[in-house]
């Protein structure tokens, strides 16, 4: 690997190797198996499908996906998250669920080309240049009719509005310590992680060879993209 290549195995911002952060994640995030099943329905994931989930975290989506599709590759840079997700899967007989230690830039997919690549709330860990590299890699992991589902913190307000919008986002989302992600967690996200504007994400998707088929803007801070290969 070239000496200029980004090391995506190191934690950026919130440390998801921290045992306490892993243990508190589902409560903080409001992880909900029923919501993961609804998403799988919306994405029309079927029994023949191969699914890759990058930044799988505690594995909630990957486990639900494994119950209804052929094979799931659950990928994360955090050994702690993977251990948690493995424990969750244990005893459920999900022999089609494969955990892999790696990231957007370091995971080498050696399975069949995927029908669906999902990444939720993880892509913002990469700086924008490396998001572009990661999208090219993800496109290569997909079969010809494969789709990419990207859900993340995506800012869709004018740059000049950043102070008001970021303050409003934190005020809307932050919870007291012990109940959810705190204002300090959101501040870490904005300061140390790499969430960016919708027009940057959309430009990167298109230049990496994706066609945006559906965009759902939840609010000024969250957006979903469902994409197909452009060619
Ligand atoms: C906020 S959690 C999201 C977990 C899960 N996808 C969800 O929907 O709840 C972000 C996850 O991305 C992982 N992550 C951070 N940097 C990454 C990278 N470069 N490649 C892949 N995963 C990464 C973290 O370890 C963490 O498990």
């Amino acid at each position: 690997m070239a000496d200029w290549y980004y090391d995506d195995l190191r934690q950026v911002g919130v440390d998801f190797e921290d045992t306490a952060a892993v243990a508190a994640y589902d409560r903080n995030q409001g992880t909900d198996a029923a919501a993961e099943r609804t998403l799988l329905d919306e994405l029309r994931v079927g029994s023949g499908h191969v699914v890759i989930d990058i930044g799988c975290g505690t594995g909630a989506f990957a486990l639900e996906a494994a119950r209804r599709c052929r094979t799931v590759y659950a990928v994360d840079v955090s050994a702690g998250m993977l251990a948690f997700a493995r424990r969750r899967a244990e005893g459920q007989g999900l022999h089609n669920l494969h955990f892999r230690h790696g990231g957007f830039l370091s995971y080498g997919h050696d399975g069949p080309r995927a029908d669906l690549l999902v990444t939720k709330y993880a892509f913002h860990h990469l700086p924008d240049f490396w998001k572009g590299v990661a999208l090219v890699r993800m496109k290569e992991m997909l079969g010809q009719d494969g789709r990419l589902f990207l859900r993340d913190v995506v800012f869709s307000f004018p740059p000049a509005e950043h102070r008001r919008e970021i303050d409003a986002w934190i005020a809307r989302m932050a919870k007291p310590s012990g109940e959810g992600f705190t204002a300090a967690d959101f501040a870490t996200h904005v300061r140390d992680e790499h969430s960016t504007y919708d027009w940057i994400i959309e430009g990167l998707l298109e230049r990496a060879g994706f066609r945006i088929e559906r965009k759902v803007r939840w609010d000024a801070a969250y957006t979903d993209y469902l994409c197909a290969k452009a060619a």
Side-chain angles (χ1 to χ4, degrees), residues 8-50:
D8 74 342
L9 294 178
R10 81 192 144 86
Q11 294 289 313
V12 171
V14 175
D15 180 6
F16 286 115
E17 285 296 6
D18 178 63
T19 313
V22 174
Y25 181 78
D26 283 336
R27 179 205 61 203
N28 288 347
Q29 181 67 15
T31 303
D32 173 10
E36 306 293 12
R37 288 193 289 274
T38 302
L39 178 58
L40 284 156
D41 290 343
E42 286 169 10
L43 295 172
R44 299 189 314 280
V45 174
S47 58
H49 284 167
V50 173

Side-chain angles (χ1 to χ4, degrees), residues 135-200:
L135 287 169
V136 171
R137 299 185 87 245
M138 290 194 273
K139 189 177 168 217
E140 285 166 5
M141 295 177 206
L142 287 168
Q144 196 46 47
D145 297 324
R147 293 165 302 150
L148 167 69
F149 177 76
L150 168 60
R151 168 175 291 171
D152 208 353
V153 173
V154 175
F155 298 132
S156 52
F157 50 76
E161 305 288 324
H162 70 280
R163 186 180 295 271
R164 188 174 56 81
E165 290 286 353
I166 295 293
D167 283 345
W169 177 48
I170 296 177
R172 191 162 73 240
M173 299 298 298
K175 301 229 170 74
S177 179
E179 292 180 25
F181 289 119
T182 64
D185 292 327
F186 285 97
T188 298
H189 182 113
V190 175
R191 188 184 57 240
D192 299 342
E193 302 181 14
H194 303 285
S195 283
T196 191
Y197 294 107
D198 54 352
W199 46 273
I200 292 178

Side-chain angles (χ1 to χ4, degrees), residues 8 11 16 25 29 54-57 76-78 81 102-104 120-122 125-126:
D8 74 342
Q11 294 289 313
F16 286 115
Y25 181 78
Q29 181 67 15
I54 303 190
C56 66
D76 206 288
V77 295
S78 160
M81 281 294 200
F104 294 105
K120 295 198 289 112
Y121 305 119
H125 284 96
L126 295 180

Side-chain angles (χ1 to χ4, degrees), residues 62-84:
L63 258 79
E64 293 305 321
R67 293 188 213 292
R68 65 169 82 185
C69 70
R70 178 152 70 98
T71 312
V72 176
Y73 297 87
V75 181
D76 206 288
V77 295
S78 160
M81 281 294 200
L82 288 172
F84 185 102

